[in-house]
Amino acid sequence: MTNQALVVGSSGIVGTAVSRLLAQEGWAVAGLARRPNAEAGVTPISADLLDPSALRSKLSAVEPTHVFLTTWARQDSEAENIRVNAQMVRNVLEAVRPSGSVRHVALVTGLKHYLGPFEAYGKGSLPQTPFREEQGRLDVENFYYAQEDELFAAAQRDGFTWSVHRPHTVTGIAVGNAMNMATTLAVYASICRFTGRPFAFPGSDVQWNSLTDMTDAGQLAKHLRWAATTPAAANQAFNVVNGDVFRWKWMWTRLAEWFGIDAAPFEGHPAPLEQQMAGDAPVWAEMAKRFDLAEADIGKLISPWHTDADLGRPIEVVTDMSKSRKLGFLDYQASDEAFFQVFSKLREGRLIP
């Protein structure tokens, strides 16, 4: 029997990667998004996850064996994040329920499971690093927990297995994505090269000097496929990172070298990109015209608020992945090379000069 995947959020960084991987491996893949990509081997489905009746109609002919939940919608408060994002998970799982075909559902969340939501990010009493899956939930409202609870309830009701995947910052390509560090840094570096401005690390002293890790979208896609098809991985939550660790004071120089610029000396305090890039829209429009770029609207490429949140954290963030390794997931991705792969694809797609 051919595996039939429904990838929810198929136009995002993670959704694009997992759709492409599964299609290449011979799965039948349906990609659900408000504005789905045109991807070889992927059947596009356009729907609003907050419209239950329309969602049921659009998915009535889809009989997925595996569902991959790779999307979220940012709201103005954590209470709204909880309400909206839990509802989206609930609506999808209700919409595919009539087919009775679902065997496994994978949910992508992240390290805010351990760090807390944006409103209380990296504050209060946090678990020790490296973060491990057996560390419980924080005593704080968190939309990741609400998403998990919807998943757990539906799995118990309908009898499918589940997996939860907690990546660190994800590198990949998706125009218009709300959490897009690699593209944000690529645009920033390109502007620095064009204008002669210093390529200044935007984050904290702790992030500059401490060990950290990241998750490439391709690595995460492989992890999703592995957990969805490995019986021993059923009904478990997993951290997922590339497998290496680094310090930003090393990585920042590596990124600068790729763009042919110098890394500015770190001055010991944050220099947030939201401030540094606040007036860069006309600069980018000029660059787009001069270099014939595919996207002149800088707002569709960058998410400086999210990059600032990650790089400005006042605590060390490093992740243990032993649980997956012990169960047989042994894939590895060097984090600097993951950045370079994204930069190369952005240049090939004329998204940066």
Side-chain angles (χ1 to χ4, degrees), residues 118 124 198 260:
F118 288 118

Side-chain angles (χ1 to χ4, degrees), residues 107-325:
L107 170 66
V108 177
T109 61
L111 294 194
K112 286 188 291 297
H113 181 91
Y114 309 108
L115 289 164
F118 288 118
E119 290 181 2
Y121 200 41
K123 299 175 182 177
S125 178
L126 299 174
Q128 291 185 343
T129 56
F131 296 139
R132 302 177 186 273
E133 295 92 343
E134 63 267 23
Q135 294 165 338
R137 294 179 176 184
L138 300 176
D139 186 18
V140 62
E141 295 297 309
N142 189 324
F143 81 87
Y144 283 170
Y145 305 161
Q147 288 181 308
E148 286 184 344
D149 289 343
E150 293 290 343
L151 173 63
F152 301 157
Q156 185 173 23
R157 179 192 68 204
D158 297 334
F160 55 75
T161 59
W162 56 266
S163 56
V164 174
H165 304 254
R166 299 171 185 158
H168 197 167
T169 302
V170 177
T171 54
I173 297 177
V175 175
N177 193 272
M179 299 193 295
N180 204 341
M181 179 187 284
T183 302
T184 299
L185 293 181
V187 170
Y188 173 56
S190 299
I191 290 173
C192 289
R193 179 174 180 174
F194 180 71
T195 63
R197 279 163 38 188
F199 183 57
F201 182 68
S204 68
D205 178 77
V206 172
Q207 291 305 306
W208 182 252
N209 288 300
S210 298
L211 289 172
T212 192
D213 47 30
M214 297 192 75
T215 310
D216 175 67
Q219 173 84 338
L220 179 51
K222 293 175 184 176
H223 194 258
L224 284 159
R225 183 251 289 132
W226 165 79
T229 57
T230 301
N235 302 327
Q236 298 193 59
F238 297 99
N239 296 331
V240 48
V241 287
N242 289 334
D244 61 353
V245 293
F246 62 89
R247 290 182 172 87
W248 272 104
K249 62 182 178 182
W250 172 82
M251 182 67 79
W252 201 248
T253 299
R254 295 285 287 154
L255 303 188
E257 289 172 349
W258 196 93
F259 284 95
I261 57 179
D262 293 327
F266 180 56
E267 297 187 358
H269 56 80
L273 290 180
E274 275 202 298
Q275 297 174 16
Q276 290 195 56
M277 304 184 75
D280 281 340
V283 176
W284 189 254
E286 178 187 351
M287 292 173 64
K289 184 176 182 180
R290 179 174 300 192
F291 299 111
D292 189 30
L293 301 182
E295 182 52 72
D297 183 354
I298 195 173
K300 293 182 180 178
L301 295 173
I302 65 172
S303 55
W305 68 272
H306 180 260
T307 299
D308 288 340
D310 273 6
L311 298 184
R313 291 179 297 214
I315 57 171
E316 177 187 72
V317 179
V318 66
T319 314
D320 180 77
M321 202 175 159
S322 300
K323 187 176 180 181
S324 293
R325 303 303 190 202

